[in-house]
Structure formats: structure tokens, C-alpha cells
Amino acid sequence: MKITDIRWTRAFIPIEAPLRYSIGSHPGFSRIIIEVDTDEGITGLGECYTGNSREGQLADLKPMLIGEDPMNLERIRWKVAPPSSVKLFGYVLAYAGIEFALLDIQGKALNRPVCDVIGGKIRDEVPFAAYLFYRYPNANGEGEICNAEQMVAYTEALIAKHGFKTIKYKNGVLPPDEEIDTFIALRKQFPKHRIRLDPNAVWTVTTAVDVARRLHDYNMEYLEDPVWGMRAMQRVNAKAPWVTLASNMSVFAFEDIGPTVMSDVLDVVLLDPHWYGGITRAKLAGQVCEAMGVDAGMHSGAEFGISQAAMLHLAASTANLTLAADSHYHHLVDDIITGRFEYKNGAMKVPVGPGLGVTLDRDKLAKYHELSNKQEMGMWSDDPRRPNRVITQPKW
Ligand SMILES: [Mg+2]
């Protein structure tokens, strides 16, 4: 089998209300959908982060991939995405989207789901966290979340609808005093739920330690990236050793795992099939964590259904990925695949169809591509409500 063509399409799908995080806000989610054609008539689906640089990378990689056998993943990785070019020139995200498509082709050729192609599944469904954000009101003036009361009410509705057992509270948006109040309000309302915090490295070490101290008795599942960089994470760990520390910002590439583990600072590494260069690489990273006694979770970067499927197959086949995974999926109002993934008791079923197990809805792709021409956003989304903002890191 030979790769004959690679095509990609940007798409923008609206969300319930604009999400806020430490650096900016998401007005909706924008992604690039990738299609890889073969001479046997099988087309594989992939998906990656959006942006002009990503489209340029796909254009760079395309001529090197035409004529390659999609079953030959190891050769292809070394040909177009060796560690040096991935790390130094940032090709990892575009390559990861292609790797999803190649695995989709392999699964379709073998008539088996991707999780079987990468070693078989260890679980049939994957638990996810209720991913909470502060939000701006949407165009109808609805959906705003800007205080503890609104966050608790929103979380109650979300858990009633989807059955989540774990809560991820994305913070780093409001002053830490207000966010501590919200964490305590969530803990009181949901005494049995696991609750994790992620301020996206916008705190000083002093602030992170202060928050850890004030939340000492409120049973935090873990604190994710309170500060920027491994040295600062080491200092938080030294000053607040009772806190479980997680990261997808200080450690986000294969080469980061060894030094991270050896420094004995992190308890949880958040895997991501995009950032680690594909499903197979993220699974391998998970196995390194297994061997090193570090827990594995899964990061989410505002995916559509194709990436969601990739994450489900990864989680299905990675035994030690036992923590509830993160997902932005419940914020989307629609998808570009036929049908949509659904939560039941806070979990999603792993697709069983051949390949990734999802089918592109071409009408929806066309509709949301059209929308992407009207409302494009880059890799780091802007925050129109805070023009000329300069977000320092740390901020508090
Ligand atoms: Mg994070």
C-alpha cells in the first residue's frame, strides 16, 4: 500500500460560551482535519492543532510522505519526524495528526480498531473529568461563569447530565483568593468527587505554596502546573511536599520524562497523543511512566471527534492511564464526525469500528470550514474582552 495524497481542512466549531484560561479565551475550537489517501482506496483521518504554521508543516511533510507505505510507521517517523526536528523545529503536532491517519489506515486495512493495532485494549470505556472553566457570556448573554456560585451551579448541571466522578477546575483566571473560595465551594458541594486544579503556570512559587497550604484540608486530587518550569516545580514540591503535582507544561515531550522522573518532583505526567508525536509514542511514554512508578493522566487541547477517538484508543491500550482523562468535548455544540461521542456515568466507550472508528461528516466539515474563514483563531486564542492585554508569567 502506498500513500498517494494528503489533504487538510481547517474548521471552527462553536462552543456553549467562551472559555477563559490564564493566557486568553477560546471563542470556539479550531482544528485542522487531515485526510491521507492510499492507492488501495483507503483514506485515513487525522486531526491536529490549528494555525498557519501547522498548515505550513503539513505542506512541508506531504512530499516526503507520498509513496510511503502507511504500515511502515517506524520508517516514516524517522524519515519525517526524527526527535531533533520534532524538538528543534516543532513538527510534532502536524506529524501526530498524520500518525493518527496512518493508524486509521492500518486499522481499516486489517478491519480492526486502532487500539488492537497498537497492542490491544485493556478497557472498553474511558472515564473523563468534568472540565470546568470560567466563561464569558455567549452571544445570547448566557453561560457566564465568573464566581463560586455560578461555578457550583454549572458543575451540578454538568454532573447531572454526564455523570462525571472527577472534576477539573481550570483556574489561573481570577485572583487566587477568589479561586480558593471556589475550590472550597466545589469541595463542599461534591464531597466524594476527585477535584484537580490547573492554573497553567501563572503563579509564583510563593503563591502556589500559599494555595497548597490553604487547601491542605480540602482533599485536592492534584495540582497541575502551578508554576512555570521544572526548577520552580521542584521548589513547590520542596515547600509543599503533601501536594500531588501533575504537569503537561513542564514535561510535554518524550525527552522530558527521564529528567522529570529522576528529579522526583512530579507524581502525574499528563500524556497527549498530539504533543508526544502520535498515539504510539504517547503509549510508549505511558509505559515509561509505568516502569518509573509515575502516574499517567491525559491532557486535552480542545479536540474534535477524530482526536477524541485517538485519545480513546490510547487510553484503552495504556494500562496505567487510570486517572480520569481531560476532555473539552462537552463544551462543543457539534462535531465534524457522524454521530457524536457521548458520556455515560462520566465515561466514553472506545470506538469498535475499524481504524479510529469515526466517519467524517462532509456537510458539517464544509459548514465549519466556512465558519473558520469568518472566525479564525490562532494557536493561542485572543481575548477580545481584554484588548492590549499583556499576561505575565507569573502573574500572581
Ligand atoms: Mg494543563
Side-chain angles (χ1 to χ4, degrees):
M1 190 168 16
K2 296 275 184 286
I3 297 170
T4 54
D5 195 14
I6 301 177
R7 296 164 282 128
W8 52 90
T9 311
R10 275 199 211 200
F12 176 96
I13 300 182
I15 53 178
E16 291 173 5
L19 307 180
R20 300 181 65 189
Y21 61 110
S22 68
I23 295 163
S25 83
H26 294 291
F29 299 161
S30 182
R31 304 285 285 182
I32 297 170
I33 305 306
I34 301 166
E35 295 175 79
V36 177
D37 295 331
T38 64
D39 60 355
E40 293 191 10
I42 298 174
T43 294
L45 297 175
E47 177 183 324
C48 72
Y49 281 80
T50 193
N52 295 327
S53 56
R54 221 74 49 215
E55 292 195 88
Q57 288 172 356
L58 288 166
D60 288 343
L61 296 179
K62 178 175 173 174
M64 290 194 281
L65 290 159
I66 302 293
E68 289 291 332
D69 180 346
M71 303 300 280
N72 213 347
L73 209 54
E74 200 61 24
R75 173 186 153 79
I76 291 173
R77 179 172 80 86
W78 283 102
K79 183 178 181 187
V80 310
S84 53
S85 78
V86 159
K87 190 81 172 176
L88 295 174
F89 305 113
Y91 278 87
V92 67
L93 297 174
Y95 175 70
I98 288 169
E99 193 253 22
F100 298 175
L102 300 182
L103 288 173
D104 191 34
I105 291 168
Q106 292 184 13
K108 285 169 174 167
L110 297 167
N111 198 28
R112 300 294 291 255
V114 163
C115 56
D116 285 2
V117 174
I118 62 170
K121 67 180 169 183
I122 207 82
R123 53 182 69 89
D124 295 320
E125 57 178 40
V126 178
F128 284 92
Y131 205 157
L132 315 179
F133 286 81
Y134 289 103
R135 305 198 306 193
Y136 290 124
N138 61 24
N140 299 323
E142 298 163 347
E144 184 179 28
I145 301 172
C146 67
N147 56 44
E149 191 181 10
Q150 289 172 336
M151 190 69 86
V152 168
Y154 170 72
T155 310
E156 280 181 322
L158 205 58
I159 287 173
K161 185 174 181 186
H162 299 301
F164 296 113
K165 309 285 194 296
T166 297
I167 293 167
K168 172 161 178 160
Y169 166 26
K170 178 70 102 186
N171 62 314
V173 172
L174 302 181
D177 281 354
E178 292 180 49
E179 296 188 341
I180 288 170
D181 288 346
T182 298
F183 187 96
I184 293 170
L186 287 166
R187 171 49 71 218
K188 286 183 174 162
Q189 195 65 27
F190 306 100
K192 297 273 173 61
H193 281 68
R194 292 179 176 222
I195 310 179
R196 56 186 73 156
L197 267 179
D198 179 10
N200 283 112
V202 79
W203 290 341
T204 62
V205 169
T206 306
T207 298
V209 172
D210 181 53
V211 173
R213 183 178 54 76
R214 289 161 69 186
L215 293 180
H216 182 280
D217 297 330
Y218 293 95
N219 190 22
M220 189 193 307
E221 183 193 27
Y222 59 69
L223 181 55
E224 179 177 330
D225 290 309
V227 292
W228 176 249
M230 271 312 290
R231 179 58 190 143
M233 292 287 277
Q234 282 179 315
R235 298 188 64 228
V236 173
N237 182 55
K239 290 164 182 284
W242 62 88
V243 173
T244 300
L245 285 176
S247 180
N248 67 278
M249 294 176 78
S250 289
V251 47
F252 61 90
F254 214 84
E255 295 84 353
D256 299 338
I257 296 176
T260 300
V261 169
M262 295 310 287
S263 67
D264 203 20
V265 169
L266 284 188
D267 307 290
V268 180
V269 168
L270 297 165
L271 305 172
D272 185 320
H274 307 85
W275 294 9
Y276 282 82
I279 300 169
T280 50
R281 298 294 288 168
K283 177 173 172 175
L284 186 54
Q287 290 173 317
V288 171
C289 291
E290 177 193 323
M292 296 286 193
V294 176
D295 293 352
M298 190 156 60
H299 168 261
S300 166
E303 301 82 10
F304 295 172
I306 297 168
S307 282
Q308 187 69 30
M311 292 161 73
L312 284 165
H313 287 287
L314 168 65
S317 188
T318 306
N320 59 324
L321 214 164
T322 57
L323 294 163
D326 292 339
S327 174
H328 288 70
Y329 198 76
H330 60 83
H331 296 283
L332 284 169
V333 301
D334 203 357
D335 203 344
I336 43 77
I337 57 171
T338 59
R340 289 191 65 183
F341 287 108
E342 290 182 2
Y343 299 96
K344 193 169 181 192
N345 296 322
M348 277 184 195
K349 285 204 181 323
V350 179
V352 294
L356 290 170
V358 294
T359 306
L360 203 51
D361 184 324
R362 296 213 166 267
D363 291 341
K364 286 188 175 178
L365 183 62
K367 173 182 172 183
Y368 294 119
H369 173 65
E370 183 71 26
L371 209 52
S372 79
N373 292 328
K374 292 177 185 152
Q375 185 166 13
E376 189 43 67
M377 51 188 272
M379 178 80 185
W380 296 105
S381 53
D382 201 359
D383 189 341
R385 290 172 176 80
R386 290 188 291 172
N388 302 317
R389 79 198 190 289
V390 176
I391 304 298
T392 56
Q393 199 175 28
K395 183 180 181 187
W396 284 293

